């Protein structure tokens, strides 16, 4: 009985149960099973001592594994083992490989890396067998792993390790969809360079980029500027979450967001920046998704709750075509009054605007209004700068002259949109009462009969007698020596004042940077903050420090603050917040860093973490110790290997030059193309478009004629030909062309716009409006 038969007898014998019960543990059973399995395996065949036919190499007893693959290498499948192996010793039955390294493979598989600047390291070293099994495998490429992904991850595991969001090809294990495995003309073994590679799959993005009026500057650096091509832990395979990614380039916006006393929640929550901006390209300035007014209404068409519980009223009236819009709202712009990313003022206003209905009038409280309107509207008793006057008596001044009961502008005017050109409101919500205003305008004046006084009239030409009773006050005062420029632009501060020790303080100091510190009423926290600032200021840097105690500091608090202020610093007591209001400082504690010319370097919230990280570098910047970083040089991509891709890339350059109003440069690029590329229809269309831009439309038509038939041609050809006819004032030809090819341009916003222009020229207003409407719908897609 041979060994296998003996083992089978043991396994099937009646003694088997007692044998199993003899092992007390599961581990012992496992050991026994492994031993039995080893005994049951087929005994190896006797090694031949003479040369045998190659058909006898792979049998059930010898080398049986070599044909057990899903895909068997040709020589193995055809029993031609001697194609690779030579018998070196018949008695010992030993063989040698008949060629070295890669020569063994390339003898049959014609392969060359000549002219390829990037060669995969195993290929360069001739290590084909590092990736391929010479006998067979699970794929046609007979790689050693079950899939390309497993093979690549053997060396490049870090590409996907720890990443929860993988790029589609990476998740599918299709590494070779972007990387040829042996050699390439491009870095990192890629099929193409940068954005050109991405657009081979993301084809929908290319026409959008081509027709967009505004392109994101980051696109010049390629998709990898924002996306990790293999994967990340952020949606869309972004390098970082949207809010962190965008601020890496948009530093001024980041600074504004981080120090905003009043933040704008969409900027830091949810989709963050892409709530309002499109990341690649669009048709609106600053890459907004729509015009500002339309965009803002996506949230503010209904009232919302602020974090502090305030209700933010809806402003859907700005979309009412029957109402007259205020200021820049006529052009769909909200930025005339509001800042979109966050700022120092309530309601995200660009400049201070007092919400108090009754107050002591000060033009500084309405800086927002007086950035457009002349302050004399409310300060001069006699004027001709306003139509709201009785003769020359300024009636705005009358409404702002009752001491602490002066009225806010919104007592009579609506803010966003109103029923008349002066935005005088119909009603005023006063407590629980919707008080009527009842304003009636006449040719030379008007009248109103609100709930707050009897009916009164005014006339600019023939003054109406005025009642002599009523309180009057003189003009209010302000710190005129503290000048403030636009907060959004470079702000220059000039301030001459006397500190608590009677010393004259001149800001700026022409010899050193200035630091103005606004402290809050809590004197203990203020003292601790001043101590921290003293430790942060470099010992070798001379800085003029002025501490402004704004607000209701009591006697003991002032004493504490004085003791915390070094003798070399100045302390200014500002109980009425005059200095803070003039500089637009609403939140405290806060520090201003100024250069020697008084220009503001930065406003910093005086939180300990912010001061520790940022105050010293800003002081050194103000002192001229730090130079601005040099601009990053633009990167360029090598030419695309595939001719069609190369042409597409060149045409993208041409269209960009045309969009940038550089048609002659675009023609120069086209001139350098090969004849075959230069005469291709897309290149001809681009050439004609450039010729139209330099007033050579007749020549553009001849170029288009060289393409072929007008009928059943591409939408681009139809559009460019129509532009040429229109530039030659051949409107009838343009209309005929567009109407005959309306099917080709039905999904083109530009084509619809051209057709609308043609109809508008022919005063066919209804059809023009319909085409413009369709164009607008297409642009939103």
């Amino acid at each position: 009985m041979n060994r296998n038969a003996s083992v089978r007898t043991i396994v099937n014998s009646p003694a088997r149960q007692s044998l199993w019960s003899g092992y007390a543990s599961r581990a012992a059973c496992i050991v026994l099973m492994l031993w039995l399995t080893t005994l049951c395996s087929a005994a190896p065949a006797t090694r031949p001592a003479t040369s045998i036919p190659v058909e006898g190499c792979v049998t059930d007893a010898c080398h049986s594994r070599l044909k057990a693959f899903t895909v068997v290498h040709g020589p193995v499948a055809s029993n031609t083992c001697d194609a690779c192996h030579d018998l070196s010793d018949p008695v010992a039955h030993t063989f040698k490989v008949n060629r070295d390294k890669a020569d063994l493979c390339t003898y049959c598989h014609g392969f060359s890396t000549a002219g390829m600047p990037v060669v995969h390291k195993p290929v360069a070293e001739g290590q084909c067998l590092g990736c391929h099994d010479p006998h067979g495998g699970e794929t046609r490429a007979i790689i050693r792993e079950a899939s390309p992904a497993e093979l690549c991850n053997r060396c490049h595991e870090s590409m996907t390790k720890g990443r929860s969001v993988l790029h589609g090809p990476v998740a599918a294990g299709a590494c070779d969809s972007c990387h040829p495995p042996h050699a390439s003309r491009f870095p990192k073994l890629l099929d193409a360079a940068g954005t050109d590679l991405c657009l081979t799959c993301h084809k929908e993005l290319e026409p959008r980029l081509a027709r967009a009026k505004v392109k994101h500057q980051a696109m010049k650096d390629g998709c990898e500027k924002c996306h990790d091509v293999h994967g990340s832990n952020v949606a869309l395979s972004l390098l970082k979450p949207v809010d962190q990614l965008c601020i890496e380039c948009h530093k001024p916006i980041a600074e504004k967001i981080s120090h905003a006393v009043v933040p704008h929640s969409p900027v830091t929550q949810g989709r963050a920046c892409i709530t309002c901006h499109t990341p690649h390209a669009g048709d609106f300035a600053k890459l907004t998704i729509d015009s500002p007014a339309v965009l803002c209404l996506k949230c503010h068409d209904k009232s919302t709750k602020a974090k502090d519980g305030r209700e933010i009223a809806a402003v859907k009236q700005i979309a009412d075509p029957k109402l007259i819009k205020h200021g820049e709202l006529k052009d769909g712009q909200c930025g005339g009054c509001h800042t979109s990313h966050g700022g120092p003022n309530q309601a995200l206003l660009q400049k201070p605007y007092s919400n108090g209905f009754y107050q002591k009038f000060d033009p500084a409280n309405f800086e927002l209004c007086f950035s457009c309107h002349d302050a004399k509207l409310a300060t001069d008793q006699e004027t001709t700068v306003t139509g709201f006057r009785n003769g020359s008596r300024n009636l705005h001044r009358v409404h702002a002259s009752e001491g602490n009961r002066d009225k806010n502008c919104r007592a009579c005017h609506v803010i966003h949109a109103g029923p008349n050109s002066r935005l005088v409101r119909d009603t005023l919500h006063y407590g629980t009462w919707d008080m009527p205003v009842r304003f009636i305008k006449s040719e030379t004046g008007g009248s109103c009969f609100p709930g707050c006084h009897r009916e009164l009239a005014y006339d600019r030409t023939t003054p109406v007698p005025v009642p002599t009773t009523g309180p009057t006050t003189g003009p209010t005062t302000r710190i005129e020596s503290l000048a403030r420029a636009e907060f959004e632009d470079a702000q220059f501060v000039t301030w001459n004042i006397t500190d608590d020790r009677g010393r004259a303080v001149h800001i700026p100091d022409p010899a050193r940077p200035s630091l103005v510190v606004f402290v809050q009423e809590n004197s203990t926290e203020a003292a601790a903050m001043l101590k921290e600032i003293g430790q942060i200021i470099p010992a070798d840097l001379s800085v003029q420090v002025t501490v402004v105690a704004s607000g209701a500091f009591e006697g003991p608090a002032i004493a504490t603050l004085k003791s915390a202020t070094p003798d070399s610093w100045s302390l200014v007591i500002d109980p009425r917040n005059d200095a803070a209001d003039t500089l637009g400082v609403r939140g405290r504690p806060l520090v201003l860093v100024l250069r020697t010319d008084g220009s503001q370097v930065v406003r910093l919230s005086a939180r300990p973490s912010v001061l520790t990280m940022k105050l010293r570098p800003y002081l050194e910047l103000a002192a001229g110790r730090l130079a601005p970083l040099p601009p990053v040089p633009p990167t360029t991509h090598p030419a695309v290997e595939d001719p069609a891709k190369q042409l597409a890339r060149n045409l993208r350059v041409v269209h960009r030059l045309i969009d940038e109003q550089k048609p002659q440069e675009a023609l120069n690029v086209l001139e350098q193309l090969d004849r075959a590329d230069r005469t291709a229809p897309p290149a001809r269309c681009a050439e004609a478009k450039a010729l139209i831009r330099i007033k050579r439309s007749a020549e553009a038509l001849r170029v288009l004629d060289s393409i072929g038939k007008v009928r059943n041609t591409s939408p681009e050809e139809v559009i460019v030909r129509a532009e040429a006819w229109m530039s030659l004032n051949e409107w009838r030809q343009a209309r005929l062309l567009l109407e005959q090819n309306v099917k080709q341009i039905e999904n083109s916003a530009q084509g619809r716009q051209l057709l609308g222009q043609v109809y508008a020229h022919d005063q066919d207003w209804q059809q023009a409006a319909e085409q413009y409407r369709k164009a607008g719908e297409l642009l939103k897609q």
Side-chain angles (χ1 to χ4, degrees):
M1 182 182 296
N2 62 28
R3 181 179 61 176
N4 291 345
S6 299
V7 172
R8 283 194 293 273
T9 302
I10 293 173
V11 173
N12 296 320
S13 69
R16 181 178 58 181
Q17 296 298 326
S18 61
L19 178 63
W20 289 122
S21 62
Y23 289 92
S25 69
R26 182 180 178 188
C29 293
I30 293 172
V31 171
L32 178 62
M33 289 300 295
L34 291 172
W35 175 71
L36 292 174
T37 301
T38 303
L39 290 179
C40 288
S41 61
T46 303
R47 182 186 292 270
T50 61
S51 176
I52 64 171
V54 291
E55 290 81 3
C57 292
V58 180
T59 66
D60 290 342
C62 295
H63 307 298
S64 58
R65 185 187 66 82
L66 299 187
K67 286 189 177 181
F69 298 105
T70 303
V71 178
V72 181
H73 194 193
V76 179
S78 61
N79 295 321
T80 53
C81 305
D82 54 349
C84 301
H85 300 278
D86 289 336
L87 183 64
S88 58
D89 186 345
V91 176
H93 194 65
T94 57
F95 293 79
K96 66 177 181 179
V97 178
N98 54 30
R99 290 177 182 81
D100 291 334
K101 289 191 175 181
D103 291 340
L104 181 67
C105 302
T106 58
Y107 183 76
C108 293
H109 301 283
F111 180 79
S112 174
T113 60
M116 292 289 190
V118 182
V119 180
H120 198 188
K121 185 177 179 181
V123 177
E125 295 176 350
Q127 300 291 348
C128 305
L129 302 187
C131 298
H132 299 279
D133 190 311
H135 301 106
E138 299 304 311
T139 67
R140 288 186 60 191
I142 59 172
I143 56 177
R144 289 191 177 276
E145 269 70 25
S147 68
E150 292 179 25
L151 177 65
C152 297
N153 280 344
R154 193 204 308 158
C155 296
H156 305 288
E157 183 187 11
S158 61
M159 294 293 102
T160 58
K161 189 174 183 180
R163 305 185 188 197
S164 59
V165 180
L166 297 180
H167 190 196
V170 177
C175 307
D176 54 353
S177 65
C178 296
H179 300 275
H182 299 113
S184 171
R185 295 186 183 278
F186 303 99
K188 300 180 182 178
L189 281 176
L190 290 170
D191 276 323
T195 305
D196 290 319
L197 177 64
C198 301
L199 291 178
T200 58
C201 289
H202 298 280
K203 295 182 182 298
E204 80 290 345
L205 188 58
E206 189 165 9
R208 195 188 315 164
L209 291 172
R211 70 170 181 256
K213 297 177 182 177
V214 183
K215 296 178 179 60
H216 194 184
Q217 289 296 312
M219 293 294 292
K220 293 181 179 179
D221 296 329
C223 306
E224 291 180 81
K225 178 77 172 179
C226 299
H227 299 274
D228 189 305
V229 293
H230 295 105
S232 71
N233 291 316
V234 183
L236 304 175
S237 289
L238 293 172
L239 297 175
K240 293 181 179 180
V242 174
D243 56 336
Q244 298 176 30
L245 183 64
C246 295
I247 63 175
E248 287 191 344
C249 293
H250 301 281
K251 301 293 185 186
I253 300 297
E255 191 69 27
K256 184 182 295 186
I257 293 171
S258 64
H259 299 111
V261 178
V262 181
H264 193 192
S265 58
V267 175
T268 56
Q269 298 175 8
R271 288 165 55 84
C273 309
I274 58 175
T275 304
C276 301
H277 299 276
T278 180
H280 299 112
D283 292 321
F284 298 94
K286 299 183 180 179
L287 288 173
T288 55
I289 295 172
D290 211 322
S291 64
V294 175
L295 186 60
C296 294
L297 275 182
K298 292 183 183 296
C299 294
H300 295 289
D301 60 337
K302 55 187 176 296
S303 61
T304 57
K305 285 282 187 181
K307 281 188 176 181
D308 57 7
R310 292 179 299 105
E311 182 173 344
I312 302 172
V315 291
K316 56 186 176 182
Q317 64 269 28
I318 67 176
D320 188 340
K322 298 188 296 296
L323 298 179
I324 296 174
K325 311 304 183 296
H326 184 196
E328 292 185 3
L329 274 174
K330 296 171 185 174
D331 300 320
Q333 303 295 321
C334 303
C337 296
H338 298 276
T339 178
S340 54
H341 297 103
N345 302 307
Q346 50 90 18
L348 294 172
L349 294 173
Q350 294 277 11
K351 295 181 181 180
Y353 172 83
S354 174
N355 255 337
F357 189 81
Y358 292 120
Q359 59 191 289
K360 183 176 179 59
F361 178 76
D362 187 335
N365 293 340
F366 300 95
E367 188 177 347
L368 179 70
C369 302
F370 294 134
S371 60
C372 293
H373 301 286
D374 192 337
K376 292 179 179 179
L377 287 171
T379 57
D380 289 359
Q381 295 193 29
E382 302 292 326
T383 186
T384 58
V385 300
T386 176
F388 187 44
R389 67 181 194 275
N390 194 31
S392 62
R393 184 172 183 246
N394 187 353
L395 299 181
H396 281 119
R397 176 74 178 81
V398 170
H399 286 76
S401 60
E402 297 182 1
N404 293 326
R405 296 281 291 178
D406 297 341
K407 264 73 70 181
N408 194 299
C409 306
R410 63 185 177 87
C412 300
H413 299 279
V414 290
I415 297 171
H416 296 102
N420 51 68
S421 61
R422 298 303 174 187
L423 300 178
V424 178
R425 60 172 66 250
D426 288 331
T427 60
L428 171 65
H429 190 71
Y430 191 79
T432 59
W433 177 33
D434 286 330
M435 184 182 76
V437 174
R438 291 178 289 206
F439 168 72
I440 300 174
K441 184 180 178 182
S442 68
E443 186 174 346
T444 57
S447 66
C448 62
F449 185 13
C452 53
H453 61 69
R454 61 185 178 83
E455 182 175 11
L456 294 173
Y458 67 96
D459 193 291
R460 293 180 290 274
T461 305
T462 307
V464 177
V466 181
T468 57
T469 58
T472 60
T473 61
T476 57
T477 59
R478 58 180 296 185
I479 303 177
E480 297 294 344
S481 58
L482 190 61
R484 179 169 190 259
E486 290 281 339
F487 178 70
E488 293 293 336
D489 302 321
Q491 179 179 345
F492 288 84
V493 176
T494 303
W495 192 11
N496 299 316
I497 202 163
T498 302
D499 70 2
D500 68 307
R501 294 184 175 92
R503 297 175 299 189
V505 180
H506 304 285
I507 300 175
D509 187 326
R512 54 183 177 163
S514 298
L515 180 65
V516 183
V517 184
F518 288 86
V519 297
Q520 54 194 358
E521 284 79 359
N522 188 317
S523 57
T524 304
E525 291 183 6
M529 184 188 73
L530 294 179
K531 181 180 179 181
E532 182 180 2
I533 290 174
Q535 294 172 346
I536 293 172
I537 296 175
D540 61 341
L541 180 62
S542 177
V543 179
Q544 174 183 247
V545 182
T546 304
V547 180
V548 182
S550 293
F553 276 85
E554 301 296 334
I558 294 293
T560 301
L561 202 57
K562 286 183 177 181
S563 64
T565 305
D567 291 341
S568 60
W569 295 7
S570 299
L571 175 62
V572 176
I573 311 301
D574 183 30
R576 296 190 307 163
N577 294 308
D578 290 331
D581 288 348
T582 307
L583 281 172
V585 174
R586 294 293 177 265
R588 294 184 297 275
L590 182 137
V591 299
L592 271 64
V593 179
L594 309 174
R595 294 185 179 88
T596 55
D597 63 353
S599 61
Q600 178 180 292
V601 175
V602 72
R603 290 185 177 206
L604 287 176
S605 172
R607 299 192 305 272
S609 59
V610 175
L611 288 175
T612 302
M613 292 175 59
K614 299 183 178 181
L615 181 56
R616 176 169 182 158
Y618 276 121
L619 286 171
E620 292 184 338
L621 181 63
R625 289 186 176 185
L626 294 180
L629 291 174
V632 179
T635 58
T636 58
H637 298 302
V640 182
E641 175 187 4
D642 181 71
K645 291 181 179 178
Q646 178 69 57
L647 174 60
R649 185 172 183 274
N650 284 326
L651 289 180
R652 281 197 292 273
V653 173
V654 169
H655 286 296
R656 187 184 72 244
L657 290 171
I658 293 173
D659 292 342
E660 293 174 354
Q661 307 301 319
K662 299 175 182 177
Q664 190 58 59
E665 293 183 30
L667 290 171
N668 293 340
V669 173
L670 289 167
E671 191 66 28
Q672 297 171 23
L673 300 182
D674 294 335
R675 177 175 173 78
D677 287 348
R678 195 166 64 248
T679 56
R684 286 297 196 191
C685 285
E687 182 180 358
K689 195 170 185 179
L691 288 169
I692 293 169
R693 298 296 185 274
I694 58 176
K695 311 299 182 184
R696 290 160 59 183
S697 300
E699 188 177 345
L701 287 171
R702 288 195 292 273
V703 170
L704 293 169
D705 288 340
S706 68
I707 297 175
K709 295 181 180 179
V710 177
R711 285 280 196 162
N712 301 320
T713 189
S714 70
E716 184 182 12
E717 293 175 38
V718 174
I719 289 169
V720 177
R721 189 179 289 271
E723 285 184 322
W725 285 124
M726 291 164 68
S727 67
L728 293 170
N729 286 321
E730 294 288 347
W731 294 92
R732 182 175 176 279
Q733 291 280 7
R735 177 169 181 164
L736 182 64
L737 173 69
L738 291 168
E739 288 180 337
Q740 286 178 343
N741 294 276
V742 70
K743 287 293 183 183
Q744 279 91 323
I745 64 169
E746 64 180 351
N747 294 320
S748 167
Q750 187 181 2
R752 291 290 189 179
Q753 287 175 337
L754 289 178
L755 193 51
Q757 290 179 36
V758 169
Y759 288 141
H761 177 270
D762 293 342
Q763 298 186 0
D764 192 347
W765 306 115
Q766 185 172 353
Q767 289 205 62
E770 177 65 11
Q771 294 303 320
Y772 287 140
R773 182 186 64 78
K774 290 179 178 178
E777 291 174 352
L778 289 168
L779 286 172
K780 292 178 181 179
Q781 292 178 1

